[in-house]
Every structure is written in C-alpha cells, then in structure tokens.
C-alpha cells in the first residue's frame, strides 16, 4: 500500500498512558485510512513508550516510525536494536524536521550508522519547502539545499512539506509545481521515492482552510507529480487550541473529530487503487498546459510537452498530467506497455476536460477513477463513464472529463 501518514501524533495527555484509551484513539486513526504512525509531537520519547505505541498501532494494522531519546546517538541505536527493531511493525526512525544545511553532516552520519545496523529500515527526515528563506535552509538556493541533502544524507526517500492554499480564494502557491517537479527530478536521478506533507487546514495567518474538493485536488495533483506517499498536516491539533489563527487538524485538542477527518478518510479510501498502480512506477515528468504562471523545474520551467503515447496535451482549461512508467520498462522502449499518465486540473475549483492526442497505434487503454477501473477500446464509438470520470474519443484526441477535485489514471 501507499504510505499514508500525518504530522503531529496523538499526544500523551489524550490517553495518559492508558492502554485501552490509547488503543481507542489509534483505532480511530486507522479508521481514517492512516497506515503509518510517526511518533512525533507532544509524546514521551522513551524507548518503552515507543514500544507501547508501536505494538498497539501494529495490532491495528499500522506500521511505526519511532522517535527514541537517548543521551548519545550510539545509545539510541542500541535502544532501538534491543527493544524495537525485531518487531514487524517497526520500519524506521524519525530524526529531524526542516533541518538547516549546517545540520546535514551530523544527520548524515547518524543515518549511515543507523542503516549500517538496520539496513532494511528507514530514516525519516522532512525538509523545507521551496519558499523557505536562505537563513532557514542554510543555502543560497533551494536547489542547492536539495543537492546537499542528497549528497550528505543517504535516506531511502525524501519528504518535504508545502502548504499551497494561500489567502487568495481559488489560488495556490506559485512555486507549488516547481517544488514538486524539482524534488521529483532530483529523486528520480537517485531512483528513490519522495512524499509530500500536504495542508489539511488553515496554517496561521498565511493560508486558508481548503475545501473538500481542494483537499482532494491537492492529493491527486501531488500523486500526479510522483509522490509515493501522503502525509497530512496535522492529525492532532499541535497548538492545543492556543492559536486562534490556526485550524489545521483532523482531531481537535479536545479529542473530537473535525470535518477534515471525514474528508480525509474519504480521500484515503479513494486513493487505494491508484496508489497501488503508481507505487512500482518511475515518475518521469509533468506536463502542464499553462506553465507560465506556475512553472515546473525541468525544461526551463516548461516541463514535458509530450510523453510516450501522449503526443500532445491540451484542455478546456489548464490541465496537469503526470507521466509514469513501470520501473521495469525502458522509456525508450518500442511499445507503450507499462506507460501511465494521470490527468488532473492544473488548478483547483473547476470542472475540466483533458485532451490527449494519442499515438495512432494506441487501440486500448485502462482508465481508473478512485477505485473503479475499466478497460476501454479507443475508437470513435468510445463514450464511457468510469466512476465520476467520462472518457470519449473524437477521432483525434482522447477526452477525459473530470469533475472539480477529481483525477484520472490512464494506462497503456
């Protein structure tokens, strides 16, 4: 399954270390579609508490990334080896959020020591988004920040956060696609996955509360860009209700579900099939019909203009299209078996039609919306409904009609 996680876990005060209450709260988390627990936030970092939470979460079907406190790095690794590493639920260790480049050497050394001891596990670090300032990243440019990270810290994946819904209604951050495409491109070179922490509410004074359709668009668009995992900011209210400008959690500080819980629960259920289909794929690039105002990273901001069987992309509005292929298939292969594209509106809050000019050799496609998949013959009689998506062919272009907040995966 695609990893689905969050930032800011259930705090100690919510369960007071009572096993029955802890199980109840983590069962609620699992019911939301979360399958990976990250032990961060207002939590005890003793190895005993890590083990207690790990076992409860594991019994509920979730994997566990720990955060163990120890006086030294060597003792931390020893604690993990003695108490956690043998568990089938334990998959890695969280060590830093948004570190400056000045910290990369230290974090890189711990990562090397950890992976030498636990080669099957993972170190989890979350890095800054592209809009962070040089005095935060410790580098002159964001690209340099990523390059130094990849050079010095041998994690098996990369995580970053980006909160795109700014105060302007129906608008997104103008560096959203640049950030996604840069991380996608850099990690593809290393053949390593990336995942993004997305906005599940209003973060302080600089962003707004996304609607349910915007939340869905955000998840689909990051998957189309190649993210191999999803993380939501936040699961539990990190400010304990103390910040009147923030409304950013699935669960309030009083332990009650917010509207976002139900919205994200539905999204997580709907991405299961597409997530499985995309996990074994390389994310080769992104096509945007209008990259002028929302530039990509590759090709001087223009990104891809065609991909495999898709010779051109257009639409009745701005369209985005993620480009994928099965990792076992060469991009220069003679046929298109194993190729996939994922269409989504380039911007949220609009119904859209994507027009894909296909290679004439394409006669059959498979289309997925949410958890519904159909195999379709590409000819002039094509007019099919797949979930909430309508697919037709006009003799030259495949037409994929998507309601606001939705996306389609097309396999060749």
């Amino acid at each position: 399954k695609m990893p689905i996680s969050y930032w800011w876990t259930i705090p100690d005060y919510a369960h007071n270390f009572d096993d029955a209450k802890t199980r109840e709260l983590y069962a609620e988390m699992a019911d939301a579609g979360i399958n990976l627990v990250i032990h961060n936030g207002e939590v005890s970092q003793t190895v005993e508490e890590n083990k207690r939470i790990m076992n409860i979460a594991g019994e509920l079907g979730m994997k566990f990334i720990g955060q163990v406190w120890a006086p030294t790095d060597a003792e931390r690794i020893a604690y993990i080896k003695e108490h956690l590493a043998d568990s089938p639920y334990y998959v890695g260790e969280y060590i830093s959020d948004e570190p400056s480049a000045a910290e990369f050497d230290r974090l890189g050394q711990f990562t090397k020591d950890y992976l030498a001891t636990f080669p099957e596990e993972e170190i989890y670090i979350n890095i800054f988004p592209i809009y962070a300032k040089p005095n935060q990243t410790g580098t002159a440019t964001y690209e340099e920040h990523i390059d130094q990270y990849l050079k010095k810290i041998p994690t098996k994946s990369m995580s970053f956060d980006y909160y795109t819904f700014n105060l302007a209604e129906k608008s997104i951050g103008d560096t959203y696609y640049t950030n996604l495409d840069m991380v996608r491109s850099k990690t593809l070179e290393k053949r390593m996955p990336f995942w993004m922490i997305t906005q599940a509410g209003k973060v302080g004074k600089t962003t707004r509360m996304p609607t349910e359709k915007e939340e869905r668009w955000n998840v689909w668009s990051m998957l189309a860009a190649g993210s191999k995992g999803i993380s939501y900011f936040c699961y539990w209210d990190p400010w304990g209700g103390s910040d009147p400008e923030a409304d950013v959690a699935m669960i309030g500080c009083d332990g009650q579900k917010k509207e976002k819980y139900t919205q994200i629960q539905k999204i997580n259920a709907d991405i299961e099939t597409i997530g499985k289909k995309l996990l074994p794929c390389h994310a080769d690039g992104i096509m945007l019909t209008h990259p002028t105002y929302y530039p990509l990273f590759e090709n001087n901001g223009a990104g891809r203009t065609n991909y495999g069987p898709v010779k051109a992309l257009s639409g009745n509005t701005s369209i985005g299209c993620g480009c994928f292929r099965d990792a076992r298939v060469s991009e220069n292969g003679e046929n298109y078996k194993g190729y996939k594209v994922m269409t989504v509106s380039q911007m949220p809050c609009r119904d859209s039609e994507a027009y894909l000019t296909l290679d004439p050799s394409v006669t059959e496609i498979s289309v997925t919306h949410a958890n519904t998949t159909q195999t379709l013959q590409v000819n002039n009689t094509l007019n099919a409904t797949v979930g909430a998506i309508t697919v037709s062919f006009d003799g030259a272009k495949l037409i994929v009609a998507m309601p606001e907040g939705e996306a389609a995966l097309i396999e060749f």
Side-chain angles (χ1 to χ4, degrees), residues 372-411:
T372 300
T373 301
Q374 285 190 39
T375 299
L376 305 173
Q377 302 304 308
V378 179
N379 53 49
N380 291 340
T381 66
L382 174 58
N383 190 352
T385 299
V386 183
I389 303 298
T390 301
V391 184
S392 58
F393 187 68
D394 68 0
K397 295 185 292 293
L398 187 73
I399 302 169
V400 183
M402 301 169 288
E404 179 182 345
E406 301 305 316
L409 179 68
I410 303 159
E411 300 174 86

Side-chain angles (χ1 to χ4, degrees), residues 18-19 25 39 71 88 161 184-185 206 212 290 335 381 397:
D18 178 78
D19 285 351
L25 292 172
H39 193 64
D161 48 23
R184 180 208 59 77
S185 177
T206 60
E212 181 174 8
H290 295 83
N335 60 56
T381 66
K397 295 185 292 293

